[in-house]
Structures are given as structure tokens and as C-alpha cells.
Amino acid sequence: QVQLVESGGGLVQAGESLSLSCAVSVNIFSINGMGWYRQAPGKQRDLVAGINRDGNTAYADSVKGRFTISRDNAKNTVYLQMNNLAPEDTAVYYCNADGVYYSSRYARPGLYWGQGTQVTVSS
């Protein structure tokens, strides 16, 4: 079984930063795509950012220029650096493994999800 564990969420003020981590139980070198998604209360789960094995990335328009996805294959860990956070970024953030992120217009999650970590941004 592939397991993912997110960490790093918390409460911050608008304009501040957070870094999320996702530890994966298998070698992510063999996984084509890793992604971050978020879900606010009463809304669907939406893409935040994705990264393929070749390093290509895809971002939601709402986070471009503020968020950066990266991965460390040696540590089997994926990161989401979130800068200049705003209240509309408040959501539960989920890590996903084995998705597809060919471009910003073609992104789909894989079968494996983490438990989620809460990010709350106050004004």
C-alpha cells in the first residue's frame, strides 16, 4: 500500500508563509506525478499544484507566483512552499500520488491520497 502523510499546516496571518510536506511510503522516483489539492468547506477538492517526474509543473491560476511545488526523491518527500498567503487560501490541503500533470490544462490526481492538513489564513 502507498501511504502519504502531510504535515506543516497551521494558522497564519495574511501575507505570511507556510511550507507543507508530504512523506511518501515508496520511492517517488518511480512515480510520474505528485500533486497538492485543497478543499474548503462546502466546496469541491481542487488542484493547487502538480509536478511530474521530469520536473514539469502545473499550478492553479490562483496560486501562480505565490506557491512552489518541489520534491526530494532521496527523501521520498514532496513540498509545497506557500508565500503571501491570503484568507481565500484557507482549506484542507491534500497530497496525492501517481497523478498526471502534463500541463496547467491537463491535470488529474492519482489513486493515493493523504489525510490532509489544515491551513487557516486570518486577515
Side-chain angles (χ1 to χ4, degrees):
Q1 292 292 314
V2 177
Q3 296 184 350
L4 303 86
V5 180
E6 303 99 331
S7 61
L11 174 64
V12 298
Q13 293 181 318
E16 296 184 338
S17 299
L18 278 176
S19 182
L20 306 182
S21 298
C22 174
V24 186
S25 65
V26 300
N27 190 342
I28 63 171
F29 178 80
S30 64
I31 297 177
N32 185 58
M34 298 293 302
W36 288 95
Y37 295 74
R38 66 187 181 187
Q39 186 170 20
K43 298 185 178 180
Q44 67 179 26
R45 189 174 300 184
D46 292 324
L47 171 72
V48 177
I51 184 168
N52 287 334
R53 184 167 54 190
D54 61 6
N56 288 339
T57 56
Y59 294 93
D61 289 342
S62 60
V63 306
K64 287 181 180 178
R66 299 189 298 123
F67 292 9
T68 302
I69 187 171
S70 62
R71 63 186 179 192
D72 187 332
N73 291 337
K75 296 182 178 180
N76 291 328
T77 302
V78 182
Y79 304 95
L80 183 68
Q81 178 65 44
M82 304 184 293
N83 297 328
N84 195 24
L85 284 161
E88 52 264 39
D89 296 316
T90 295
V92 177
Y93 284 69
Y94 297 90
C95 184
N96 179 269
D98 205 28
V100 178
Y101 304 98
Y102 294 133
S103 72
S104 61
R105 295 188 175 184
Y106 193 98
R108 290 185 176 273
L111 295 175
Y112 306 102
W113 294 93
Q115 80 286 351
T117 185
Q118 177 72 46
V119 172
T120 303
V121 184
S122 65
S123 60

